[in-house]
Amino acid sequence: MPQLSQLALVYQSQWFWLLLVLAAIYFFVGRGIVPKVEATVDLRDAQIAADLAEAERLRGEADAAEEAWRARINDAHAEAHALAHDAKDRSLRDTEKRVSAADKKLAAKADEAARALDVARQGALAEIEALAADAAREIVAKLTGAKVDDKAARKAVAGALSRA
């Protein structure tokens, strides 16, 4: 078979060209394209790392700003609470002063009314004593026909009222 005898020659040339093409691809791709792709990947990796670092820095700033904001809000709440407490205390003190002043006025009016009542009671008692003394004189005069002077009648009525 003549085809089989040429097989070794054909294979040798195919192996040669295969190695030549693979070497060309290796040098073309391995030395030309791969470094450019690696440089692009490295550049992208560096850009991503820089973006991540910037994002972390900005997150830190945002966290710090949020913490400062929360501190200001808490301070404002505390200040508002303190102001409300102070206003409540002032209002309570003012109310106590007004109540105290009103109590003093009412106590003065009550004392004045008690004095007026005592004066009226003393006047009423004096009037009752005078009427009782007159009635006692008239009764003694009608029953016994004796005249009793005003001073003695008042003394007898005062004694009787003090025992009652």
Side-chain angles (χ1 to χ4, degrees), residues 130-154 157:
L131 287 174
D134 285 343
R137 258 191 343 208
E138 286 180 19
I139 291 172
V140 169
K142 280 190 180 185
L143 289 177
T144 63
K147 277 204 149 186
V148 178
D149 66 350
D150 191 40
K151 198 180 215 183
R154 285 186 186 266
V157 168

Side-chain angles (χ1 to χ4, degrees), residues 85-156:
H85 185 66
D86 290 345
K88 186 177 178 182
D89 286 346
R90 281 194 310 268
S91 174
L92 185 61
R93 284 192 302 270
D94 186 41
T95 302
E96 287 175 355
K97 286 179 185 177
R98 288 181 181 181
V99 167
S100 175
D103 282 346
K104 287 178 184 177
K105 285 182 183 178
L106 288 175
K109 284 184 179 181
D111 288 344
E112 185 179 322
R115 282 192 298 275
L117 186 61
D118 279 344
V119 168
R121 188 170 43 123
Q122 294 298 325
L125 284 176
E127 194 174 318
I128 288 173
E129 275 185 36
L131 287 174
D134 285 343
R137 258 191 343 208
E138 286 180 19
I139 291 172
V140 169
K142 280 190 180 185
L143 289 177
T144 63
K147 277 204 149 186
V148 178
D149 66 350
D150 191 40
K151 198 180 215 183
R154 285 186 186 266
K155 186 177 179 183

